[in-house]
Structure formats: C-alpha cells, structure tokens
Amino acid sequence: MSGSIWLPPGAHPRTVPAVPRGRTTPGWAEPDPVDALAAQLEDFAAAAVHPDEIAALLESDGLSDDRIRERYGVKDSFALAEELYDRVERRHPEPEGPPHDPWQVGLLGCLLRGVVFALPGFAYVLGGPLLAGPRDGLGLPAGTLTLLAGALTGWTWNQGLAHRAYSWLGLGDDAAARRSLLLGAPAGALLGTLVALAQAGTGHPAAVAFAAGQSCYLGAATVLLVMGRERLLLAALLPMAAGAAVSLAAPVPAVVRLVLLLGSLTAVAALALRDVAPAVRDLGEGSWTAGLIALLPFGSLGAAPARERGAPLWLTGSLPYALFGLGSGVLVLYAALGDVLAGQEHSAVAAPAAVALTLSMGPAEWLLYRFRSGSLAGLRSTSSPRAFWRRTARTVAECLAGYLAVLLALALATAALWPHSAGPTGMRLAGLLLLGVVLWTGLLLQSFGAVHSAVAVCCLAALAQSLALATHAAGPHQVGVAVYGTAAAVQAVLTCVLLGRATAHR
C-alpha cells in the first residue's frame, strides 16, 4: 500500500493515471425525463431569454404541478423551466427574410416637401412691386419688418399647432387632429395679422394686407402638410411660382400679380378647408351645432376626459415645439438679414442663404429617417453599450456630413443663380454651415423627444445673437460664426450623450 502507483511503460514520472469511473446509472435505467423533454423543446428553449417563457409554454400544454412532480421530480413548472433553461445552450436565430425597418422612406417625397417649403418665396417676388415705398430706417424695403413680424408669429404658432395635430394622428384620432387644425389655423392667421398690424400701424396698409395673406397661407399650408397633402399644395402653388419666374424676365402688370397671389392663396385655403371640414360633421353626428361644440380642445362637455383617452395633449405640451420654431426662425432671419439689421444699410440681403436653408429641409428630413434606420440596425448588430454608442456617433457624423454637403451645394447654386448676389465668402459659408448643424441636430433631438434641450440652445443662441447685434459687439458675420459654432458644439455633445443610450431609441 505504501508503494508507488504503477505507471505504464514510457509514461512521465509526474503523470497521474486516470482513475476509471464507475457507471453513474445502471444499464437498465430509463433516460432522464428532463433530458428527454429538453431535447423535445430544444428549439424553443434555446431561443428563450428567460425561464418564464418556458414555464408559460409548459402551462399552456396542460402540465400541472402534480404531473410535473410525479414525472420529472421537481417542485412546479417554474422549477422545471429553470432546469430546461440551464440544460439547453442559448441560440437566438435571426428572423427569416430582411428585418423590418419602419424608418425606410422615399427620398422623392422628402425632396417634394423641401420644394413646397421654398415655393412660397416666389410670392415675395410677385408682391414686391405692390409694396412700393421708401426704405425704412434699417435700409430694408418697405413693409419688410411687418412681413417678418407676421412670419415669425406664424412659424411659432404653426409649429406648435402641427405638433398638436400630429399627436392626435399618432393616437389614431384623425377627427381630433382635424378639429385642432380647424380651430388652430384660423386663430394663428388672426394672431399673425394682429402682430403685423401692431408693428406697421396705419401707415402701411398694403404691407398689413400682404402679411394677412401670408398668415392665412401659413395656417392653410400647415393643415395640408400635416394631413400629407404635399402634392395638392404643390399644384396650388405652381401658377404663382410660374408667374413669378416670368416676372423676373419680363414686366408683369400689377393686376396679374394680384390675381396670381390671390388665386394661389384661395386654392390653398379651399384645399385645407376641404380637408378639415369633415371633422365638424363626423364629430357632430350630422349636426353642425353639435359639431361646433366639438371644436373644443377635448370635445364636448360630455366627452371622455383627455387623461382617460390616453392623450397627454394639454396645450403646454406643444409650447416647446412652438418655441423651437421661434428660435430657429430668428436664427434663419439673422442669417439672411444680419448685415442690414446690424445697421449696414448698403450691404446685400443674403436671401440665397435663406433659400438654401429652406430647400435643404427636404434632404434634412430624409437624413433624419436614415439616422433612425441606422440606429435600429445598430441595436441589432451591437452587443455592448460602448459599441452601440460608437455606432450611433458614426451614424450621426455620416448623416450630418451628408446634410452639410447638400446645404453647401445649394448655397453655392443659389448664390450663382440669384440676380445681383454677392459671391459667398468663407465667413458667410462657415456661418451658414454651422447654422445648418444647429438646425439639423435640433430637429434630431426634437424627433427623439429631447425638445427642451433643443429649445434651450436655439432660443439662447437667438437671444445672444440679438444682443450682440444690438450692442455692435462685433461684425454680423463674426457674431454669427461665434453663436452658431457654440450652439452647434453644445447640441453635438447633447446628441452624442442622449442618443448614445439604447433606451433613447425605444
């Protein structure tokens, strides 16, 4: 017993021979029933992410706890599910066919929206001679400040109105969306007209009338865009745009200009009214009186409360989106009129910059969808938070670079085609591209629900630029580059921090 262990010939002295193990079960014993069940449910158990999934399957097959204890020797279905979960290796097969991507949209539709955003600018070409008069104290054409006041009011109001209507559409309540548009669009038009009247006073009736038409158009166009009627809106604007293009090459009588402007405005308003009018009849069950009562924000007095209907649609919920429209609108106006508003009366109005930004909103919208699609692919392909953050940052950089390339091309093209336009300088282009970063990242944050961050950055940037220009702290281009650059850097950091978390993409 005290001798050394016998080793086979040629074995190393340190080698310990394997001790033969005895059989754990006799040859006549039946296979383990749990192993048999694991083999039977292997495909389902391998794809389960929690034992409770397997327990639900066992219970749906009618296995009671008594039968489980008798047949498998465990306490209940949950204990058996845990045994099966531990014995089967995890396998999560990819779904058959290409994965579903709800963010795939066509480029043509987004480009159409960009064109529709820009076409109303031809109205100012047609209406310019109708606003004849001496330039104001800032060197702007007569009525410009009146139109700007009405436009800013309309952008602010209709941004909030569009959010409210889209919220109803997201809940599947088309009638409520139409009701909010039918009530909100005329209210916004009236508000824009009153603001323009307050700015102009009684000395510029033509400018006030043009601003009233502008406010009516903004409200009606909001209705058509929210309801997805871009093609109808385009058809209504084409005659006016064609007349404006002709007026650039040949004189057009004032009567024809007025007919084209009023004709397009009437067509847009009629199309919008046709789209929202069914809300009165549908909600009023055929009675116009009951339908008018249903125009209240949440229906008639006997309607279900908004909280029970699951609609967090108080008016304050749309206020941040309205403020985003105000802040971004001020920044765009400074990009177009910064020189003149800073007191340089003989500087050229940078209208091509505003046109380029407006046209770029179509590609910007498509790139927002591309980012959502890319982030969804990142959720499927990455396996750690750090890897997903890197994938998200790369997708943001690619989409933003694509948008800036489009914006640069549009800026160069509009500057080359615009009559009597000064060539774009490096400082102007830098400010325009930085403003593009602010607008696109702001829209991106807004699309993920981080609207308060975008609103804070845009409104503070607009306020800072207003103060700098009012105090003549520096030249308008230097101020623009500094303000836009700071805002762009802040929003880029917010985008990477907020959207780098997988939970933000639910």
Side-chain angles (χ1 to χ4, degrees):
M1 295 298 293
S2 61
S4 60
I5 298 177
W6 178 84
L7 299 176
H12 194 274
R14 297 180 180 178
T15 302
V16 178
V19 180
R21 297 182 179 180
R23 299 180 60 181
T24 57
T25 56
W28 46 264
E30 295 182 357
D32 185 357
V34 178
D35 286 338
L37 184 61
Q40 179 181 352
L41 302 178
E42 180 178 8
D43 292 337
F44 182 86
V49 297
H50 194 274
D52 288 352
E53 293 186 46
I54 306 175
L57 177 66
L58 297 175
E59 293 177 354
S60 66
D61 286 343
L63 281 177
S64 63
D65 291 343
D66 293 336
R67 294 186 61 187
I68 289 174
R69 283 191 291 269
E70 177 183 353
R71 183 180 302 179
Y72 301 104
V74 294
K75 181 181 178 181
D76 51 24
S77 60
F78 293 98
L80 179 57
E82 292 179 357
E83 284 287 337
L84 296 174
Y85 189 82
D86 292 338
R87 296 191 186 195
V88 178
E89 184 181 359
R90 303 270 71 73
R91 295 191 308 273
H92 301 290
E94 293 292 333
E96 298 181 0
H100 175 63
D101 187 356
W103 303 108
Q104 290 287 347
V105 297
L107 177 59
L108 184 60
C110 294
L111 293 179
L112 176 63
R113 290 175 71 89
V115 172
V116 168
F117 293 154
L119 278 183
F122 283 105
Y124 301 102
V125 177
L126 275 179
L130 303 178
L131 302 175
R135 291 178 176 268
D136 58 20
L138 295 175
L140 292 170
T144 301
L145 291 181
T146 302
L147 297 180
L148 292 180
L152 277 179
T153 304
W155 290 345
T156 303
W157 178 273
N158 289 299
Q159 187 84 359
L161 176 62
H163 169 262
R164 185 172 177 80
Y166 275 126
S167 299
W168 284 119
L169 290 176
L171 294 171
D173 197 342
D174 293 358
R178 288 189 172 93
R179 185 175 68 246
S180 63
L181 291 171
L182 184 59
L183 182 66
L190 178 60
L191 179 61
T193 303
L194 292 177
V195 170
L197 179 60
Q199 197 284 326
T202 59
H204 300 282
V208 173
F210 198 98
Q214 172 186 260
S215 299
C216 293
Y217 170 79
L218 289 174
T222 299
V223 172
L224 294 176
L225 290 172
V226 169
M227 303 307 295
R229 305 292 189 264
E230 294 89 352
R231 298 180 187 276
L232 292 177
L233 181 57
L234 176 64
L237 292 176
L238 279 179
M240 181 269 299
V246 172
S247 69
L248 294 175
V252 175
V255 176
V256 177
R257 293 173 182 269
L258 189 60
V259 168
L260 289 173
L261 289 172
L262 292 179
S264 289
L265 177 61
T266 304
V268 173
L271 290 172
L273 182 60
R274 189 195 66 170
D275 226 328
V276 298
V280 177
R281 296 191 299 270
D282 295 342
L283 295 179
E285 298 178 352
S287 170
W288 283 93
T289 303
L292 291 173
I293 295 176
L295 291 178
L296 294 171
F298 298 107
S300 59
L301 298 178
R307 190 175 299 276
E308 295 180 5
R309 294 165 65 183
L313 290 173
W314 297 104
L315 291 177
T316 53
S318 299
L319 180 61
Y321 295 87
L323 293 178
F324 179 80
L326 174 62
S328 58
V330 170
L331 293 177
V332 171
L333 288 182
Y334 277 138
L337 305 173
D339 289 349
V340 180
L341 293 180
Q344 300 180 10
E345 299 182 13
H346 301 290
S347 300
V349 176
V355 174
L357 283 170
T358 305
L359 286 172
S360 71
M361 287 298 102
E365 181 180 353
W366 183 76
L367 287 168
L368 290 176
Y369 281 106
R370 292 299 301 166
F371 174 79
R372 297 300 294 260
S373 179
S375 62
L376 183 61
L379 287 173
R380 291 193 299 263
S381 61
T382 55
S383 57
S384 67
R386 183 176 295 274
F388 177 73
W389 184 89
R390 289 196 299 265
R391 176 67 180 268
T392 301
R394 186 170 67 250
T395 306
V396 169
E398 292 173 354
C399 294
L400 183 56
Y403 172 67
L404 293 180
V406 172
L407 180 58
L408 178 60
L410 289 173
L412 295 176
T414 52
L417 297 175
W418 198 269
H420 313 294
S421 173
T425 62
M427 188 69 71
R428 285 182 182 273
L429 288 178
L432 180 63
L433 294 179
L434 289 173
L435 178 57
V437 175
V438 175
L439 294 179
W440 192 83
T441 53
L443 291 173
L444 181 62
L445 291 171
Q446 179 178 295
S447 68
F448 278 88
V451 63
H452 296 90
S453 301
V455 166
V457 174
C458 287
C459 289
L460 288 177
L463 179 61
Q465 192 168 9
S466 300
L467 293 176
L469 292 176
T471 58
H472 302 283
H477 301 308
Q478 289 78 8
V479 170
V481 169
V483 171
Y484 302 152
T486 303
V490 172
Q491 288 199 159
V493 172
L494 288 175
T495 299
C496 292
V497 171
L498 296 177
L499 304 187
R501 299 194 300 259
T503 53
H505 300 260
R506 291 178 293 182

